[in-house]
Amino acid sequence: MPVATATRKLTHKLALRRARATLGKWLKKSNVVQGDKLLALIMVAGAQQVLNQDQLNSELNSLTSQYLLNQLRSDLGLAESATAALNLDSNLDLNLTSAAALSLSKLFEGPEYLLLFSQVHGLSDLFEVYSINQRKLATAKVQTADKNTSTNDQALFSQIYTPPQVVQAMVDYLVVPLLDKANTVEAIKGLSMLDPCCGSGNFLIASTAQFYKAYQRFHLPDQEICRLIIEHNIVGVDIDDKALSIARFAITVQLLNCMKSKDVVANQISCLHNASDVSEAALGSLSPRWKRTTNHPLNRKYSVVLTNPPYLGRKLIDRTLKLKLKKYFPDCASDLSQIFLWKALELVPDGGAVGFLTQSSFMHLPSAIDLRKRILEQAKIDLVIELGDGVFPLLAGSKADSSIIFLSKSKASADEPAYYLDLRIPLERKNKESKLEHLNKLSQIGRLTKTSKTHGELSTSHDLAFNFKRPGALFLVQAKSNQSLASTADFKQGLATSDNEKFLRFAWEIEESDKTYVPYAKGGGSERWWRTITSKVRWGEDGSEIKAAVAQAYPYLKGQIHWVVKNENYYFRPGLTFSFVNRHRLSVRRLPPGAIFDVGGSAIFSHEADQENLLLAYLNSSLVSALAHDLNPTINFQIGDLKRLPLIQFSDQVKQQLTRLAHTAVDTKQQLEPLLSPAAHLLNSSGSKLASLSHRGFAEHLTAIESYQRQLIAIEEEIDRLVLSAAGSHFSLDQKDQLELSQWVEERAKADTSAGAVVKLTSKIFFENQLAQAFAKRLGGGNEQFALERPIAFNDVAVFLNNKIEIEAGFADQFVEGNLYKYFASRFNQVLHEQYGGQPPALAIEGAIQATLPLTRKSGQRPSDLYRLLD
């Protein structure tokens, strides 16, 4: 593609993104009650822009145009007829000020909006943007614990529509080849396409255009082609009647775009169906009643099923819907998108095809193993395209890690290849422009180089994962017959309090003599080997207060509180703990005796106490981290994932080496942690010395940190070497397999963050760290309240801290503007607030901008509570 053409296309797409953002900002700032009337008005405004396209405007009969607009008004419940799309008559009661009405009108006159509605799918963008605020409200509802969501909530939550590049690529891959093979009108009539959750109809619109081209080869009249497409070729089903209204208009316009004559209205769009009913509305297309309904579109089979299903996981499904899903789809009831894929295989005949844009997680999560088994038994995997995040403009971060999968409904032979294409954008290349890069490549998928695995390889792996990057050696390491870690240790989730704000405190907020609070090990991110437990949980009388709160918060448990207060018989036992949420490598730490663990920091208990350090070294090896990511490539490490990790038998000599190395790593991390964490210093620094706050002090401090980090790196490298060598012997890998496995582990480790990786400590962080530690130690230990009532000099600070700290003026001047008093009265209070999780030790500074409030440990309110009161 020429550079100029590529630049124009990118500019076009960025302009469309700006148009969406502009409307979103208008809706957010307008203070308009966003009801059905405003939606109808905005959608009709967009519809008029679509009808004013150059290719339509010159030939479209004005009566036809007005009929379509009025029909859309009626479908959306806006019965008032008007000649102008943005008729802001007072009788619409939209609560629009004249200024808001004028600004809304101008939005649709901008150049970006002319681009947005140059294609009919611009209406989907408009509808999606309009619904952002309602979607946020629906999201809050589906994320509550004891939810009772409506069909409307479910529709709003999943109202994220498929970008046109993805739609066109999927239609081109599945629909176009079928039409190219159809040599007669009857052959085309025999081809059909279904979208069972069609939304505003993007897949239907693109498919309509392709069917029209196919019929045109036989010189049929325009009206006849329209009739054939509607009656025989495309079908859409959804639970959102507003989305279906927009789809109906969009398909009509698509047909008009194709037709030579524009002076008549296309046939009534009868191929769209609302799948809601009173008893099972939320099931939509998944309801079994459609199989029993004569002539219903979901009571037949289709040549192709193409869709982007709703993403609704187990935790987001309310209990009523969850029970129905378990009843009708017992093998894959944990995720709505997975159920739609399961259902799609029922809706195509042998030889039919399925195309899905869905979350990548179904390809590897244990909860989807039955779905993968069904696919491998009933279908051939033609192509998997991994797109990663950034597919949906309105979803930030990695909330939707997406893939496209194309299936043929026919049993594949063991040696038949399944192809894979990785179009994810590497993290280092992500920017505003590159967000569209992987979607633009979809138009070239026929020419891009693909990798493959045979269906036999995918079928024989222990987890049946659709993992196309596994080296051959990994199939030996993860074979079903291998002994797993579950045979040598117990993996347990812990306590969920149901109200952390009520029951949790930081350790420095609780008197040592208060035995109603006990240490509480929470998730620790990528911290490995050791992490000081800084939280305490109220567990007086064996947690009776928490148990009562859980029973009240989850009445549907009917007293079975062990579903939330989990594995109580393991509390206070020594073991290991790992981070449930971790974007980097598997991170396992020592769990000291006397603590309770939670879900975010689930625990591991070796069956043999003297093997704990050996297990700690093995779990923190690069091999195990790579294997864990292979089993679950999300940001969550589940206990089920770790239980399935292979168990390696080490020689006695290697056992001793790994045990010693783990012990040394824990000791080294305990020495390193107070140098980096004020909170850890407060709890563990009884004999430690604070560094000098000077250029020399910073250099010495940094040298100490780097020394400990080098030690950790050396320890981890030796553990990696020992574990990889032992794995080669244990699994009888030949030299080629061992090299392949080693390279794979090394490649995976590049994307991980090691616990021994160098921390970039700046002189500013050092300065603020050391001052925070000094204040915390002095105030936390003395339990006093202080007030600084006058400007203080550097010598005053040293006296105040009562801690022979040299504060070199030349060093502090980099961070302190004016004088030190000004710094204490502004920035330093924020430093304390940030470094102690919003719950800093007691300190009052008169005149401070954001003062750390004067509290003792016995105070009835926490600092964070009073911060909120100040707001």
Side-chain angles (χ1 to χ4, degrees), residues 643-788:
K643 289 166 73 172
R644 292 186 291 136
L645 289 167
L647 177 65
I648 294 178
Q649 297 298 328
F650 299 102
S651 68
D652 290 342
Q653 181 182 0
V654 173
K655 281 183 181 179
Q656 292 174 6
Q657 289 176 286
L658 290 173
T659 299
R660 175 182 55 79
L661 287 166
H663 179 81
T664 306
V666 171
D667 182 66
T668 304
K669 187 61 182 294
Q670 287 175 332
Q671 299 298 315
L672 171 63
E673 189 186 40
L675 299 178
L676 297 170
S677 169
H681 186 281
L682 175 64
L683 298 172
N684 295 317
S685 60
S686 57
S688 63
K689 296 180 180 179
L690 288 168
S692 170
L693 296 180
S694 63
H695 293 286
R696 179 179 177 182
F698 171 60
E700 291 175 349
H701 189 84
L702 193 59
T703 298
I705 288 174
E706 291 174 345
S707 174
Y708 287 126
Q709 289 175 330
R710 284 194 297 272
Q711 292 176 48
L712 276 177
I713 290 171
I715 290 169
E716 291 180 342
E717 288 177 347
E718 180 63 10
I719 288 173
D720 289 345
R721 186 187 67 80
L722 291 170
V723 170
L724 270 172
S725 177
S729 301
H730 180 82
F731 297 110
S732 303
L733 303 180
D734 59 26
Q735 189 173 1
K736 178 184 175 183
D737 283 338
Q738 199 155 1
L739 178 62
E740 186 182 35
L741 181 64
S742 205
Q743 290 174 338
W744 177 76
V745 170
E746 184 179 350
E747 189 64 29
R748 294 302 298 262
K750 288 179 182 177
D752 291 335
T753 299
S754 167
V758 174
V759 174
K760 293 182 179 179
L761 184 73
T762 66
S763 54
K764 181 179 181 180
I765 293 174
F766 162 75
F767 177 78
E768 295 184 338
N769 247 334
Q770 295 301 304
L771 277 184
Q773 289 179 15
F775 272 90
K777 187 64 180 173
R778 177 74 176 92
L779 301 173
N783 207 21
E784 301 100 337
Q785 300 181 44
F786 293 91
L788 302 179

Side-chain angles (χ1 to χ4, degrees), residues 255 265 285 323 460 492 522 557-558 714 771 809 830:
L255 289 170
V265 179
S285 301
L323 290 173
T460 54
K492 301 294 180 182
K522 296 174 64 62
L557 292 178
K558 297 180 180 178
L771 277 184
Q830 184 64 25

Side-chain angles (χ1 to χ4, degrees), residues 21-128:
T22 303
L23 179 64
K25 289 178 182 177
W26 184 91
L27 289 166
K28 190 173 182 179
K29 295 179 179 179
S30 65
N31 296 320
V32 174
V33 177
Q34 295 180 46
D36 290 343
K37 289 183 179 179
L38 180 60
L39 167 64
L41 188 68
I42 289 178
M43 293 312 302
V44 172
Q48 187 172 54
Q49 292 282 10
V50 169
L51 293 174
N52 286 338
Q53 300 169 58
D54 290 341
Q55 61 266 42
L56 276 177
N57 190 46
S58 59
E59 298 178 350
L60 190 61
N61 183 291
S62 62
L63 292 177
T64 300
S65 177
Q66 193 59 49
Y67 172 84
L68 293 176
L69 289 175
N70 287 338
Q71 183 64 49
L72 181 60
R73 292 174 190 273
S74 176
D75 287 345
L76 292 172
L78 189 64
E80 294 86 351
S81 61
T83 55
L86 284 177
N87 185 338
L88 303 174
D89 195 293
S90 60
N91 63 6
L92 294 181
D93 192 24
L94 295 174
N95 297 322
L96 285 175
T97 64
S98 57
L102 181 62
S103 66
L104 178 58
S105 299
K106 286 184 176 180
L107 279 180
F108 291 89
E109 298 171 2
E112 292 93 350
Y113 278 87
L114 297 179
L115 283 174
L116 182 62
F117 302 116
S118 63
Q119 300 292 330
V120 72
H121 60 68
L123 291 178
S124 290
D125 291 334
L126 187 59
F127 187 32
E128 187 178 352

Side-chain angles (χ1 to χ4, degrees), residues 381-384 416-420 451-455 458 468:
I381 302 172
D382 294 316
L383 176 63
V384 172
E416 202 164 356
Y419 291 98
Y420 170 79
T451 59
S452 67
K453 292 288 182 189
T454 67
H455 284 74
L458 297 176
F468 293 86

